[in-house]
Amino acid sequence: MEVTAAMLLTVCPLVFLASLVDAIGGGGGLISLPAYLVAGLPAQMASGTNKCSACFGTLLATIRYGRSGKILYKPALLAVVGAIPGSFLGSQVQQLLPESTVRAFMLVAIPLVAVLLLLKRDLSGKPKAMDRKRLTICFFIGLGCGFYDGFFGPGMGTILIVLFTWVGGMEAVSASGCAKLVNLASNAAALASFFMGGYVLLPLALPATACSLLGGYLGANLALKKGAQLIRWVMLGVLALLIAKLALEFLGIM
């Protein structure tokens, strides 16, 4: 598939915005995945190419959490052990489905996940001891979320944080650190699967990755609370426009 200037001008700014938003409050995949679809990529190709830029953005965030000592490695690594096969399997299942089915699923799932993340409440309570039962739970959290990430993806980081705090008994910061490590492993496994299937458009993925890294760096250094809130509303506005365009194209109106 040939990469055009129009595709680059569509994807790169939106991936930059997605990474900026994701570094501040999560949910960046809700913009980056539709960006590839709007640029004209088939659904599976959009997922695979999106994983490339997402993987490197998550790598930086994981390193940042690791250096700060906020990752609980024992539960996180158990979740990683579940996430890698789960993500690979999820991406394989997506590649077996017809293009029209995957695109229709995305048109329904993207706004639904956006609403769920917007309405999300803090479910964390008092941190609990990480006993054998909770370690086992962390493995299954990784397995289930990994499959979701490989098959679809947006909102994965937030879902992991909620489950690590609510079910895994972690406090919020440690849950965020563990979520980054698991998300990184899941992204890498899905990327490998999509790459093996020929669903990564490298001439588009590489410049998009550069934009993702820049957006993540700036987002991580954005400290103004009102600025963060404004960017989140911008994200929702952009997402609404992207979904509207995709829906019109799917219905044959555009």
Side-chain angles (χ1 to χ4, degrees), residues 100-151:
S100 58
T101 301
V102 177
R103 185 172 285 265
F105 171 81
M106 288 179 176
L107 282 174
V108 174
I110 289 171
L112 179 61
V113 172
V115 171
L116 291 175
L117 295 187
L118 185 64
L119 298 178
K120 177 182 70 70
R121 296 291 182 266
D122 183 12
L123 297 177
S124 61
K126 184 179 179 180
K128 299 178 178 63
M130 193 56 64
D131 54 19
R132 183 174 296 181
K133 178 182 176 181
R134 295 195 182 281
L135 288 172
T136 303
I137 287 172
C138 287
F139 168 81
F140 285 105
I141 288 174
L143 182 65
C145 288
F147 183 88
Y148 168 83
D149 190 39
F151 186 82

Side-chain angles (χ1 to χ4, degrees), residues 222-233:
L222 186 64
L224 296 176
K225 187 175 180 181
K226 290 185 178 180
Q229 290 175 340
L230 175 61
I231 287 174
R232 194 158 184 83
W233 283 109

Side-chain angles (χ1 to χ4, degrees), residues 20-246:
L20 186 76
V21 170
D22 198 68
I24 296 168
L30 292 168
I31 288 181
S32 60
L33 180 58
Y36 290 105
L37 295 171
V38 168
L41 273 67
Q44 286 91 344
M45 185 75 77
S47 291
T49 308
N50 182 53
K51 285 298 176 190
C52 186
S53 55
C55 195
F56 286 96
T58 307
L59 174 61
L60 287 183
T62 303
I63 291 172
R64 190 163 60 246
Y65 272 98
R67 286 178 174 174
S68 67
K70 298 301 182 181
I71 298 178
L72 303 177
Y73 282 101
K74 195 170 183 178
L77 290 175
L78 280 171
V80 164
V81 170
I84 290 174
S87 180
F88 192 88
L89 179 61
S91 59
Q92 289 287 305
V93 170
Q94 196 212 87
Q95 293 172 52
L96 293 174
L97 296 175
E99 155 74 14
S100 58
T101 301
V102 177
R103 185 172 285 265
F105 171 81
M106 288 179 176
L107 282 174
V108 174
I110 289 171
L112 179 61
V113 172
V115 171
L116 291 175
L117 295 187
L118 185 64
L119 298 178
K120 177 182 70 70
R121 296 291 182 266
D122 183 12
L123 297 177
S124 61
K126 184 179 179 180
K128 299 178 178 63
M130 193 56 64
D131 54 19
R132 183 174 296 181
K133 178 182 176 181
R134 295 195 182 281
L135 288 172
T136 303
I137 287 172
C138 287
F139 168 81
F140 285 105
I141 288 174
L143 182 65
C145 288
F147 183 88
Y148 168 83
D149 190 39
F151 186 82
F152 181 48
M156 159 76 161
T158 304
I159 294 169
L160 277 170
I161 292 170
V162 170
L163 290 177
F164 279 144
T165 53
W166 183 37
V167 183
M170 299 182 191
E171 53 88 20
V173 177
S174 295
S176 296
C178 292
K180 290 300 181 187
L181 182 59
V182 177
N183 208 352
L184 174 62
S186 178
N187 280 336
L191 176 60
S193 173
F194 282 116
F195 194 83
M196 290 166 55
Y199 291 110
V200 179
L201 190 59
L202 281 177
L204 182 58
L206 294 179
T209 297
C211 292
S212 176
L213 292 173
L214 178 60
Y217 176 80
L218 294 177
N221 290 283
L222 186 64
L224 296 176
K225 187 175 180 181
K226 290 185 178 180
Q229 290 175 340
L230 175 61
I231 287 174
R232 194 158 184 83
W233 283 109
V234 169
M235 181 198 81
L236 293 173
V238 171
L239 177 61
L241 293 174
L242 291 174
I243 291 298
K245 186 176 188 302
L246 290 172

